[in-house]
Amino acid sequence: MTGTVTHGPPPGPADRPGRPLIITEDADLLDDLLRLCAAAGATPEVRHDVPDSGGGWAAAPLVLVGDDAARRLSGAARRPGVVLVGRDQDDPDVWKRAVLIGADHVLMLPDGEAWLVDRLADVAEGIGRPALTVGVIGGRGGAGASTLACALAVTSAREGLRTLLVDADPLGGGLDVLLGGESAEGLRWPAFAASRGRVGGGALEESLPELHSLRVLSWDRGDCVAVPPPAVRAVLAAARRRGGTVVVDLPRRLDDGVAEALAQLDLVLLVVPAELRAVAAAGRVASAVGMVVRDLRVAVRGPYAPGLDDHEVARLLGLPLAGQLPVEPVLLRPQASAKAPGATGRGPLARFCAHFWERVLVESGGTR
């Protein structure tokens, strides 16, 4: 069981660096808390007495107070990020003791173990602001969505942001190939197919191929063409916790795994060639994606059919316009270029990507 005392939200762990602090004289409870810290990869500081004002009480990103110590801490300075931990599910006075020490949460073991391991893992990873996560999907086949996804990721990395490019389309041929890194060492999607629960963000990042100063999660050349939704959820949640930007290349077929990916995206770009059949096809895609994603925008790709321009395409689809994609050979025939899309930092496509990141990072509150 966990519960929240709503007197104030705790800060993000990145705002209060340091080790978690455990305060208890209950040997059995301490053993359990140390076990959970080990499972989360966190190394705690342990105290049995009331900490002085200059000790770990103020600096710790998370404070776990045993129910046995609550009354002794009634005079401690108030601070966010305090969790009162006990075992008696039927104790009606535990909430009074939580208020007494200014706790944000009341947690009962063993029911609250999974929640606590997640919080401790956040501390161990030094979680700050979550990544800005952008999906790219084609309004029809051959729209250039994969090329745009690669160019956005390459541009983000060139701007100095921690960047992960995720290939969510098992039938797309592999974004590592598009980036010229099909033989690069590192794990691919099939290695994460059995993932459940929490995946470590740092471990994920270090295990993936590094191409053009970004990390890439793509597919191998094997027979695996799907990853279970829980694995998709675990991997993308880990990617978001690392901060920076995450770009996801989405397939046009929407299964349960893709729905999991969509649920974790901040916004999606729908790439639509400016022709009537493409607009009609994109309308179907937009209807399906819009049921999951709150922020769906259209990027219109030329050349334009008679009577169409970028604003008219956006109007027909009823979507906000993200911008006009330039007519550039790499969008139509990615293999025509020996370089990764956007790698030179020059040309219309690179400028589109730079302007896109500049705009959405400001909208999201600044650099990640």
Side-chain angles (χ1 to χ4, degrees), residues 211-359:
L211 303 168
H212 304 281
S213 301
L214 59 97
R215 298 287 178 165
V216 181
L217 177 55
S218 189
W219 298 85
D220 62 12
R221 312 284 85 85
D223 297 330
C224 179
V225 294
V227 172
V232 175
R233 183 188 314 123
V235 168
L236 287 182
R240 285 180 61 85
R241 290 195 302 271
R242 292 296 287 169
T245 66
V246 178
V247 180
V248 183
D249 182 34
L250 297 160
R252 293 177 64 243
R253 60 179 184 86
L254 303 185
D255 56 20
D256 290 342
V258 176
E260 283 290 351
L262 288 170
Q264 298 201 47
L265 299 179
D266 294 307
L267 68 92
V268 172
L269 287 178
L270 177 64
V271 182
V272 184
E275 56 188 47
L276 287 177
R277 288 188 64 192
V279 173
R284 294 180 178 272
V285 177
S287 294
V289 173
M291 291 190 293
V292 183
V293 175
R294 289 175 296 178
D295 190 350
L296 177 61
R297 311 180 192 184
V298 60
V300 183
R301 197 204 79 197
Y304 292 94
L308 288 180
D309 60 19
D310 51 349
H311 293 282
E312 179 64 9
V313 171
R315 186 191 69 79
L316 290 171
L317 292 172
L319 295 174
L321 179 63
Q324 176 184 348
L325 277 173
V327 180
E328 196 167 4
V330 70
L331 269 174
L332 302 175
R333 299 184 305 278
Q335 68 275 14
S337 174
K339 296 182 179 296
T344 65
R346 299 186 299 274
L349 178 60
R351 287 195 293 272
F352 173 91
C353 294
H355 292 157
F356 170 81
W357 286 123
E358 181 180 5
R359 183 169 62 254

Side-chain angles (χ1 to χ4, degrees), residues 11 26 32 62 79 85 88 100 135 139 181 183 222 229 275 297 305 334 363 366:
D26 184 330
D32 282 337
L62 185 67
R79 53 145 294 164
V85 185
D88 188 355
L100 188 67
S183 60
E275 56 188 47
R297 311 180 192 184
E363 291 173 358

